[in-house]
Amino acid sequence: MGEIICQTCDCTIEHFEDEKVTKLYTDQCPNCGK
């Protein structure tokens, strides 16, 4: 299971299927407006 996480507000944006546990950080988040 993978997660896409906002690096600004640290909330989980989306889950995606993966063979191992993965965390991807992005700066595009609808919650914090960036």
Side-chain angles (χ1 to χ4, degrees):
M1 178 66 77
E3 293 181 343
I4 300 175
I5 300 172
C6 178
Q7 63 186 5
T8 304
C9 65
D10 202 42
C11 68
T12 301
I13 301 171
E14 191 176 339
H15 293 275
F16 60 92
E17 293 300 322
D18 200 349
E19 294 181 0
K20 59 183 182 294
V21 177
T22 307
K23 287 189 177 182
L24 297 177
Y25 287 90
T26 182
D27 57 358
Q28 296 178 347
C29 174
N31 294 328
C32 61
K34 296 200 173 186

